[in-house]
mmCIF file of all heavy atoms in Angstrom:
data_model
loop_
_atom_site.group_PDB
_atom_site.id
_atom_site.type_symbol
_atom_site.label_atom_id
_atom_site.label_comp_id
_atom_site.label_asym_id
_atom_site.label_seq_id
_atom_site.Cartn_x
_atom_site.Cartn_y
_atom_site.Cartn_z
ATOM 1 N N LYS A 1 0.871 -1.196 0.030
ATOM 2 C CA LYS A 1 -0.008 0.010 -0.030
ATOM 3 C C LYS A 1 0.832 1.239 -0.006
ATOM 4 O O LYS A 1 0.590 2.244 -0.728
ATOM 5 C CB LYS A 1 -0.919 0.001 1.236
ATOM 6 C CG LYS A 1 -2.025 -1.037 1.182
ATOM 7 C CD LYS A 1 -2.857 -1.032 2.462
ATOM 8 C CE LYS A 1 -3.805 -2.175 2.472
ATOM 9 N NZ LYS A 1 -4.476 -2.321 3.762
ATOM 10 N N SER A 2 1.949 1.211 0.794
ATOM 11 C CA SER A 2 2.827 2.344 0.822
ATOM 12 C C SER A 2 3.505 2.612 -0.516
ATOM 13 O O SER A 2 3.703 3.728 -0.876
ATOM 14 C CB SER A 2 3.875 2.146 1.931
ATOM 15 O OG SER A 2 3.346 2.140 3.173
ATOM 16 N N GLU A 3 3.897 1.540 -1.172
ATOM 17 C CA GLU A 3 4.528 1.592 -2.464
ATOM 18 C C GLU A 3 3.561 2.319 -3.449
ATOM 19 O O GLU A 3 3.949 3.166 -4.278
ATOM 20 C CB GLU A 3 4.952 0.279 -2.994
ATOM 21 C CG GLU A 3 6.193 -0.300 -2.419
ATOM 22 C CD GLU A 3 6.503 -1.617 -3.223
ATOM 23 O OE1 GLU A 3 5.616 -2.433 -3.496
ATOM 24 O OE2 GLU A 3 7.749 -1.824 -3.411
ATOM 25 N N GLN A 4 2.335 1.858 -3.485
ATOM 26 C CA GLN A 4 1.310 2.387 -4.355
ATOM 27 C C GLN A 4 1.074 3.867 -4.021
ATOM 28 O O GLN A 4 0.927 4.749 -4.961
ATOM 29 C CB GLN A 4 0.025 1.593 -4.241
ATOM 30 C CG GLN A 4 0.161 0.196 -4.910
ATOM 31 C CD GLN A 4 -0.976 -0.713 -4.524
ATOM 32 O OE1 GLN A 4 -1.546 -0.662 -3.459
ATOM 33 N NE2 GLN A 4 -1.374 -1.556 -5.567
ATOM 34 N N LEU A 5 0.946 4.239 -2.798
ATOM 35 C CA LEU A 5 0.757 5.658 -2.444
ATOM 36 C C LEU A 5 1.996 6.514 -2.815
ATOM 37 O O LEU A 5 1.828 7.700 -3.188
ATOM 38 C CB LEU A 5 0.382 5.805 -1.002
ATOM 39 C CG LEU A 5 -1.001 5.338 -0.612
ATOM 40 C CD1 LEU A 5 -1.182 5.299 0.851
ATOM 41 C CD2 LEU A 5 -2.044 6.158 -1.325
ATOM 42 N N ALA A 6 3.188 6.006 -2.585
ATOM 43 C CA ALA A 6 4.378 6.707 -3.070
ATOM 44 C C ALA A 6 4.380 6.954 -4.517
ATOM 45 O O ALA A 6 4.830 7.957 -5.016
ATOM 46 C CB ALA A 6 5.648 5.848 -2.665
ATOM 47 N N GLY A 7 3.945 5.970 -5.357
ATOM 48 C CA GLY A 7 3.846 6.141 -6.786
ATOM 49 C C GLY A 7 2.828 7.281 -7.198
ATOM 50 O O GLY A 7 3.148 8.064 -8.100
ATOM 51 N N ARG A 8 1.810 7.321 -6.394
ATOM 52 C CA ARG A 8 0.782 8.414 -6.638
ATOM 53 C C ARG A 8 1.426 9.750 -6.335
ATOM 54 O O ARG A 8 1.311 10.758 -7.064
ATOM 55 C CB ARG A 8 -0.373 8.173 -5.704
ATOM 56 C CG ARG A 8 -1.388 9.354 -5.796
ATOM 57 C CD ARG A 8 -2.643 8.991 -4.876
ATOM 58 N NE ARG A 8 -3.469 10.134 -4.836
ATOM 59 C CZ ARG A 8 -3.640 10.925 -3.744
ATOM 60 N NH1 ARG A 8 -2.930 10.711 -2.656
ATOM 61 N NH2 ARG A 8 -4.439 11.952 -3.732
ATOM 62 N N ALA A 9 2.225 9.820 -5.201
ATOM 63 C CA ALA A 9 2.873 11.068 -4.849
ATOM 64 C C ALA A 9 3.844 11.585 -5.934
ATOM 65 O O ALA A 9 3.940 12.730 -6.208
ATOM 66 C CB ALA A 9 3.595 10.909 -3.503
ATOM 67 N N VAL A 10 4.533 10.599 -6.475
ATOM 68 C CA VAL A 10 5.540 10.942 -7.554
ATOM 69 C C VAL A 10 4.819 11.479 -8.759
ATOM 70 O O VAL A 10 5.229 12.415 -9.423
ATOM 71 C CB VAL A 10 6.381 9.627 -7.916
ATOM 72 C CG1 VAL A 10 7.170 9.896 -9.245
ATOM 73 C CG2 VAL A 10 7.346 9.262 -6.788
ATOM 74 N N ASP A 11 3.729 10.791 -9.163
ATOM 75 C CA ASP A 11 2.927 11.259 -10.326
ATOM 76 C C ASP A 11 2.333 12.682 -10.105
ATOM 77 O O ASP A 11 2.486 13.542 -10.983
ATOM 78 C CB ASP A 11 1.746 10.324 -10.562
ATOM 79 C CG ASP A 11 2.142 8.970 -11.135
ATOM 80 O OD1 ASP A 11 3.315 8.834 -11.651
ATOM 81 O OD2 ASP A 11 1.348 8.070 -11.084
ATOM 82 N N LEU A 12 1.849 12.949 -8.925
ATOM 83 C CA LEU A 12 1.235 14.228 -8.647
ATOM 84 C C LEU A 12 2.334 15.354 -8.594
ATOM 85 O O LEU A 12 2.150 16.442 -9.087
ATOM 86 C CB LEU A 12 0.491 14.247 -7.402
ATOM 87 C CG LEU A 12 -0.824 13.399 -7.335
ATOM 88 C CD1 LEU A 12 -1.491 13.387 -5.950
ATOM 89 C CD2 LEU A 12 -1.796 13.853 -8.384
ATOM 90 N N ALA A 13 3.510 15.004 -8.062
ATOM 91 C CA ALA A 13 4.640 15.875 -8.004
ATOM 92 C C ALA A 13 5.158 16.267 -9.383
ATOM 93 O O ALA A 13 5.387 17.408 -9.702
ATOM 94 C CB ALA A 13 5.740 15.393 -7.135
ATOM 95 N N MET A 14 5.149 15.254 -10.217
ATOM 96 C CA MET A 14 5.599 15.483 -11.701
ATOM 97 C C MET A 14 4.686 16.444 -12.390
ATOM 98 O O MET A 14 5.148 17.453 -13.018
ATOM 99 C CB MET A 14 5.628 14.169 -12.423
ATOM 100 C CG MET A 14 5.974 14.328 -13.893
ATOM 101 S SD MET A 14 5.617 12.921 -14.875
ATOM 102 C CE MET A 14 3.869 12.874 -14.902
ATOM 103 N N TYR A 15 3.371 16.251 -12.265
ATOM 104 C CA TYR A 15 2.448 17.169 -12.906
ATOM 105 C C TYR A 15 2.493 18.525 -12.220
ATOM 106 O O TYR A 15 2.373 19.531 -12.857
ATOM 107 C CB TYR A 15 1.007 16.636 -12.788
ATOM 108 C CG TYR A 15 0.795 15.535 -13.834
ATOM 109 C CD1 TYR A 15 0.630 14.220 -13.487
ATOM 110 C CD2 TYR A 15 0.712 15.859 -15.214
ATOM 111 C CE1 TYR A 15 0.424 13.252 -14.461
ATOM 112 C CE2 TYR A 15 0.585 14.897 -16.189
ATOM 113 C CZ TYR A 15 0.398 13.534 -15.825
ATOM 114 O OH TYR A 15 0.223 12.586 -16.732
ATOM 115 N N GLY A 16 2.680 18.629 -10.914
ATOM 116 C CA GLY A 16 2.897 19.904 -10.241
ATOM 117 C C GLY A 16 4.039 20.658 -10.747
ATOM 118 O O GLY A 16 4.003 21.885 -11.055
ATOM 119 N N ASN A 17 5.186 19.964 -11.028
ATOM 120 C CA ASN A 17 6.346 20.561 -11.574
ATOM 121 C C ASN A 17 6.115 21.069 -12.970
ATOM 122 O O ASN A 17 6.800 21.995 -13.461
ATOM 123 C CB ASN A 17 7.542 19.600 -11.571
ATOM 124 C CG ASN A 17 7.982 19.410 -10.168
ATOM 125 O OD1 ASN A 17 7.817 20.217 -9.255
ATOM 126 N ND2 ASN A 17 8.687 18.234 -9.908
ATOM 127 N N LEU A 18 5.145 20.519 -13.657
ATOM 128 C CA LEU A 18 4.798 20.968 -15.026
ATOM 129 C C LEU A 18 3.779 22.061 -15.057
ATOM 130 O O LEU A 18 3.334 22.510 -16.121
ATOM 131 C CB LEU A 18 4.303 19.709 -15.863
ATOM 132 C CG LEU A 18 5.274 18.641 -16.148
ATOM 133 C CD1 LEU A 18 4.662 17.486 -16.810
ATOM 134 C CD2 LEU A 18 6.426 19.136 -16.993
ATOM 135 N N GLY A 19 3.377 22.541 -13.869
ATOM 136 C CA GLY A 19 2.393 23.628 -13.800
ATOM 137 C C GLY A 19 0.983 23.262 -13.647
ATOM 138 O O GLY A 19 0.128 24.123 -13.698
ATOM 139 N N TYR A 20 0.639 21.997 -13.501
ATOM 140 C CA TYR A 20 -0.702 21.556 -13.255
ATOM 141 C C TYR A 20 -1.165 21.873 -11.888
ATOM 142 O O TYR A 20 -0.332 21.840 -10.928
ATOM 143 C CB TYR A 20 -0.831 20.074 -13.550
ATOM 144 C CG TYR A 20 -0.857 19.680 -15.018
ATOM 145 C CD1 TYR A 20 0.318 19.601 -15.742
ATOM 146 C CD2 TYR A 20 -2.038 19.394 -15.677
ATOM 147 C CE1 TYR A 20 0.356 19.309 -17.073
ATOM 148 C CE2 TYR A 20 -2.063 19.122 -17.026
ATOM 149 C CZ TYR A 20 -0.914 19.035 -17.692
ATOM 150 O OH TYR A 20 -0.871 18.669 -19.047
ATOM 151 N N GLN A 21 -2.491 22.090 -11.759
ATOM 152 C CA GLN A 21 -3.086 22.388 -10.459
ATOM 153 C C GLN A 21 -4.159 21.348 -10.211
ATOM 154 O O GLN A 21 -4.898 20.945 -11.040
ATOM 155 C CB GLN A 21 -3.734 23.765 -10.422
ATOM 156 C CG GLN A 21 -2.733 24.897 -10.576
ATOM 157 C CD GLN A 21 -3.488 26.270 -10.655
ATOM 158 O OE1 GLN A 21 -4.597 26.377 -11.042
ATOM 159 N NE2 GLN A 21 -2.769 27.263 -10.128
ATOM 160 N N LEU A 22 -4.193 20.915 -8.908
ATOM 161 C CA LEU A 22 -5.141 19.846 -8.542
ATOM 162 C C LEU A 22 -6.609 20.469 -8.489
ATOM 163 O O LEU A 22 -6.749 21.499 -7.812
ATOM 164 C CB LEU A 22 -4.820 19.265 -7.196
ATOM 165 C CG LEU A 22 -5.674 18.183 -6.647
ATOM 166 C CD1 LEU A 22 -5.614 16.977 -7.576
ATOM 167 C CD2 LEU A 22 -5.306 17.807 -5.199
ATOM 168 N N LEU A 23 -7.473 19.860 -9.200
ATOM 169 C CA LEU A 23 -8.860 20.363 -9.233
ATOM 170 C C LEU A 23 -9.719 19.541 -8.263
ATOM 171 O O LEU A 23 -10.553 20.089 -7.451
ATOM 172 C CB LEU A 23 -9.511 20.129 -10.588
ATOM 173 C CG LEU A 23 -9.134 21.048 -11.686
ATOM 174 C CD1 LEU A 23 -9.837 20.646 -12.997
ATOM 175 C CD2 LEU A 23 -9.524 22.540 -11.351
ATOM 176 N N SER A 24 -9.574 18.195 -8.243
ATOM 177 C CA SER A 24 -10.401 17.413 -7.304
ATOM 178 C C SER A 24 -9.717 16.083 -7.057
ATOM 179 O O SER A 24 -8.942 15.651 -7.883
ATOM 180 C CB SER A 24 -11.754 17.223 -7.947
ATOM 181 O OG SER A 24 -11.731 16.436 -9.098
ATOM 182 N N THR A 25 -10.164 15.493 -5.976
ATOM 183 C CA THR A 25 -9.735 14.141 -5.587
ATOM 184 C C THR A 25 -11.017 13.401 -5.207
ATOM 185 O O THR A 25 -11.735 13.842 -4.396
ATOM 186 C CB THR A 25 -8.716 14.115 -4.413
ATOM 187 O OG1 THR A 25 -7.553 14.853 -4.855
ATOM 188 C CG2 THR A 25 -8.291 12.716 -4.035
ATOM 189 N N LEU A 26 -11.163 12.228 -5.817
ATOM 190 C CA LEU A 26 -12.283 11.373 -5.578
ATOM 191 C C LEU A 26 -11.888 9.982 -5.133
ATOM 192 O O LEU A 26 -10.969 9.451 -5.698
ATOM 193 C CB LEU A 26 -13.142 11.309 -6.832
ATOM 194 C CG LEU A 26 -14.328 10.361 -6.832
ATOM 195 C CD1 LEU A 26 -15.403 10.905 -5.838
ATOM 196 C CD2 LEU A 26 -14.876 10.205 -8.203
ATOM 197 N N LYS A 27 -12.409 9.537 -3.998
ATOM 198 C CA LYS A 27 -12.062 8.213 -3.530
ATOM 199 C C LYS A 27 -13.291 7.319 -3.769
ATOM 200 O O LYS A 27 -14.405 7.608 -3.375
ATOM 201 C CB LYS A 27 -11.709 8.230 -2.054
ATOM 202 C CG LYS A 27 -11.359 6.883 -1.506
ATOM 203 C CD LYS A 27 -10.956 7.006 -0.043
ATOM 204 C CE LYS A 27 -12.135 6.735 0.822
ATOM 205 N NZ LYS A 27 -11.819 6.609 2.285
ATOM 206 N N VAL A 28 -13.090 6.221 -4.408
ATOM 207 C CA VAL A 28 -14.102 5.235 -4.749
ATOM 208 C C VAL A 28 -13.697 3.872 -4.073
ATOM 209 O O VAL A 28 -12.692 3.294 -4.416
ATOM 210 C CB VAL A 28 -14.255 5.023 -6.304
ATOM 211 C CG1 VAL A 28 -15.359 4.009 -6.569
ATOM 212 C CG2 VAL A 28 -14.485 6.332 -7.017
ATOM 213 N N GLU A 29 -14.545 3.445 -3.187
ATOM 214 C CA GLU A 29 -14.383 2.226 -2.504
ATOM 215 C C GLU A 29 -15.052 1.051 -3.194
ATOM 216 O O GLU A 29 -16.286 1.197 -3.431
ATOM 217 C CB GLU A 29 -14.700 2.256 -1.025
ATOM 218 C CG GLU A 29 -13.889 3.278 -0.302
ATOM 219 C CD GLU A 29 -14.174 3.297 1.168
ATOM 220 O OE1 GLU A 29 -14.441 2.238 1.756
ATOM 221 O OE2 GLU A 29 -14.134 4.402 1.758
ATOM 222 N N GLY A 30 -14.403 0.023 -3.478
ATOM 223 C CA GLY A 30 -14.901 -1.159 -4.119
ATOM 224 C C GLY A 30 -14.673 -2.428 -3.288
ATOM 225 O O GLY A 30 -14.125 -2.337 -2.218
ATOM 226 N N ASP A 31 -15.052 -3.487 -3.851
ATOM 227 C CA ASP A 31 -14.796 -4.809 -3.181
ATOM 228 C C ASP A 31 -13.341 -5.160 -3.271
ATOM 229 O O ASP A 31 -12.841 -5.598 -4.335
ATOM 230 C CB ASP A 31 -15.685 -5.913 -3.780
ATOM 231 C CG ASP A 31 -15.636 -7.195 -3.004
ATOM 232 O OD1 ASP A 31 -15.473 -7.186 -1.747
ATOM 233 O OD2 ASP A 31 -15.694 -8.237 -3.681
ATOM 234 N N GLY A 32 -12.615 -5.019 -2.185
ATOM 235 C CA GLY A 32 -11.220 -5.331 -2.150
ATOM 236 C C GLY A 32 -10.268 -4.287 -2.627
ATOM 237 O O GLY A 32 -9.054 -4.521 -2.716
ATOM 238 N N SER A 33 -10.784 -3.125 -2.987
ATOM 239 C CA SER A 33 -9.742 -2.091 -3.397
ATOM 240 C C SER A 33 -10.424 -0.717 -3.206
ATOM 241 O O SER A 33 -11.593 -0.505 -2.991
ATOM 242 C CB SER A 33 -9.485 -2.281 -4.877
ATOM 243 O OG SER A 33 -10.589 -2.005 -5.672
ATOM 244 N N ILE A 34 -9.489 0.258 -3.151
ATOM 245 C CA ILE A 34 -9.899 1.701 -3.144
ATOM 246 C C ILE A 34 -9.207 2.380 -4.302
ATOM 247 O O ILE A 34 -8.062 2.122 -4.561
ATOM 248 C CB ILE A 34 -9.382 2.376 -1.811
ATOM 249 C CG1 ILE A 34 -10.126 1.677 -0.619
ATOM 250 C CG2 ILE A 34 -9.613 3.874 -1.859
ATOM 251 C CD1 ILE A 34 -9.549 2.142 0.756
ATOM 252 N N THR A 35 -9.958 3.077 -5.073
ATOM 253 C CA THR A 35 -9.408 3.911 -6.169
ATOM 254 C C THR A 35 -9.461 5.364 -5.902
ATOM 255 O O THR A 35 -10.476 5.878 -5.449
ATOM 256 C CB THR A 35 -10.187 3.508 -7.492
ATOM 257 O OG1 THR A 35 -10.069 2.126 -7.730
ATOM 258 C CG2 THR A 35 -9.613 4.318 -8.666
ATOM 259 N N ILE A 36 -8.342 5.993 -6.087
ATOM 260 C CA ILE A 36 -8.233 7.411 -5.875
ATOM 261 C C ILE A 36 -8.077 8.062 -7.242
ATOM 262 O O ILE A 36 -7.121 7.751 -7.974
ATOM 263 C CB ILE A 36 -7.068 7.802 -4.983
ATOM 264 C CG1 ILE A 36 -7.228 7.106 -3.603
ATOM 265 C CG2 ILE A 36 -6.921 9.342 -4.751
ATOM 266 C CD1 ILE A 36 -5.967 7.185 -2.775
ATOM 267 N N LEU A 37 -8.979 8.988 -7.614
ATOM 268 C CA LEU A 37 -8.921 9.651 -8.909
ATOM 269 C C LEU A 37 -8.586 11.172 -8.657
ATOM 270 O O LEU A 37 -9.303 11.897 -8.058
ATOM 271 C CB LEU A 37 -10.255 9.544 -9.639
ATOM 272 C CG LEU A 37 -10.584 8.160 -10.033
ATOM 273 C CD1 LEU A 37 -12.067 8.142 -10.523
ATOM 274 C CD2 LEU A 37 -9.741 7.588 -11.069
ATOM 275 N N ASP A 38 -7.451 11.576 -9.106
ATOM 276 C CA ASP A 38 -7.031 12.974 -8.948
ATOM 277 C C ASP A 38 -7.159 13.668 -10.383
ATOM 278 O O ASP A 38 -6.644 13.084 -11.330
ATOM 279 C CB ASP A 38 -5.540 13.101 -8.518
ATOM 280 C CG ASP A 38 -5.366 12.477 -7.135
ATOM 281 O OD1 ASP A 38 -5.850 13.078 -6.163
ATOM 282 O OD2 ASP A 38 -4.698 11.465 -7.018
ATOM 283 N N THR A 39 -7.905 14.789 -10.397
ATOM 284 C CA THR A 39 -8.068 15.510 -11.634
ATOM 285 C C THR A 39 -7.247 16.769 -11.531
ATOM 286 O O THR A 39 -7.339 17.576 -10.547
ATOM 287 C CB THR A 39 -9.528 15.773 -11.888
ATOM 288 O OG1 THR A 39 -10.221 14.511 -11.924
ATOM 289 C CG2 THR A 39 -9.721 16.501 -13.287
ATOM 290 N N LEU A 40 -6.393 16.994 -12.572
ATOM 291 C CA LEU A 40 -5.554 18.196 -12.581
ATOM 292 C C LEU A 40 -5.778 19.015 -13.845
ATOM 293 O O LEU A 40 -6.194 18.425 -14.818
ATOM 294 C CB LEU A 40 -4.051 17.762 -12.511
ATOM 295 C CG LEU A 40 -3.718 16.939 -11.284
ATOM 296 C CD1 LEU A 40 -3.565 15.516 -11.742
ATOM 297 C CD2 LEU A 40 -2.372 17.374 -10.663
ATOM 298 N N GLN A 41 -5.453 20.280 -13.823
ATOM 299 C CA GLN A 41 -5.640 21.159 -14.967
ATOM 300 C C GLN A 41 -4.380 22.014 -15.193
ATOM 301 O O GLN A 41 -3.671 22.287 -14.208
ATOM 302 C CB GLN A 41 -6.854 22.003 -14.946
ATOM 303 C CG GLN A 41 -6.708 23.215 -13.945
ATOM 304 C CD GLN A 41 -7.926 24.158 -13.956
ATOM 305 O OE1 GLN A 41 -8.886 23.895 -14.643
ATOM 306 N NE2 GLN A 41 -7.790 25.266 -13.290
ATOM 307 N N HIS A 42 -4.182 22.371 -16.395
ATOM 308 C CA HIS A 42 -3.112 23.254 -16.813
ATOM 309 C C HIS A 42 -3.575 24.180 -17.929
ATOM 310 O O HIS A 42 -4.122 23.694 -18.941
ATOM 311 C CB HIS A 42 -1.851 22.472 -17.251
ATOM 312 C CG HIS A 42 -0.686 23.324 -17.619
ATOM 313 N ND1 HIS A 42 -0.491 23.762 -18.875
ATOM 314 C CD2 HIS A 42 0.294 23.821 -16.853
ATOM 315 C CE1 HIS A 42 0.654 24.444 -18.861
ATOM 316 N NE2 HIS A 42 1.138 24.480 -17.721
ATOM 317 N N ARG A 43 -3.426 25.463 -17.730
ATOM 318 C CA ARG A 43 -3.899 26.425 -18.726
ATOM 319 C C ARG A 43 -3.005 26.330 -20.004
ATOM 320 O O ARG A 43 -1.771 26.322 -19.839
ATOM 321 C CB ARG A 43 -3.856 27.832 -18.229
ATOM 322 C CG ARG A 43 -4.298 28.890 -19.232
ATOM 323 C CD ARG A 43 -4.337 30.293 -18.683
ATOM 324 N NE ARG A 43 -5.449 30.423 -17.794
ATOM 325 C CZ ARG A 43 -5.381 30.667 -16.507
ATOM 326 N NH1 ARG A 43 -4.230 30.870 -15.906
ATOM 327 N NH2 ARG A 43 -6.509 30.851 -15.752
ATOM 328 N N LYS A 44 -3.579 26.096 -21.161
ATOM 329 C CA LYS A 44 -2.830 26.042 -22.381
ATOM 330 C C LYS A 44 -2.368 27.420 -22.807
ATOM 331 O O LYS A 44 -3.042 28.376 -22.561
ATOM 332 C CB LYS A 44 -3.712 25.448 -23.557
ATOM 333 C CG LYS A 44 -3.987 24.022 -23.419
ATOM 334 C CD LYS A 44 -4.752 23.531 -24.669
ATOM 335 C CE LYS A 44 -4.960 22.040 -24.634
ATOM 336 N NZ LYS A 44 -5.646 21.615 -25.861
#
């Protein structure tokens, strides 16, 4: 679980370094898993 969350942190940091801003985070709980959906935007 820690590895998976660390991977998420790396992805979000990469987009942050490219100028993206976090719009929303959605957590979806399913049978045997949790999915976190982060939506980011960057002005063209």
Side-chain angles (χ1 to χ4, degrees):
K1 289 176 189 174
S2 294
E3 282 184 323
Q4 292 169 320
L5 289 171
R8 173 179 175 254
V10 168
D11 289 343
L12 293 177
M14 176 195 67
Y15 282 110
N17 289 338
L18 293 172
Y20 283 79
Q21 296 177 330
L22 183 65
L23 286 178
S24 67
T25 298
L26 175 67
K27 181 177 95 171
V28 180
E29 295 186 37
D31 186 32
S33 68
I34 296 171
T35 300
I36 302 169
L37 298 169
D38 297 293
T39 303
L40 303 103
Q41 75 174 7
H42 181 267
R43 181 176 285 118
K44 287 186 177 182

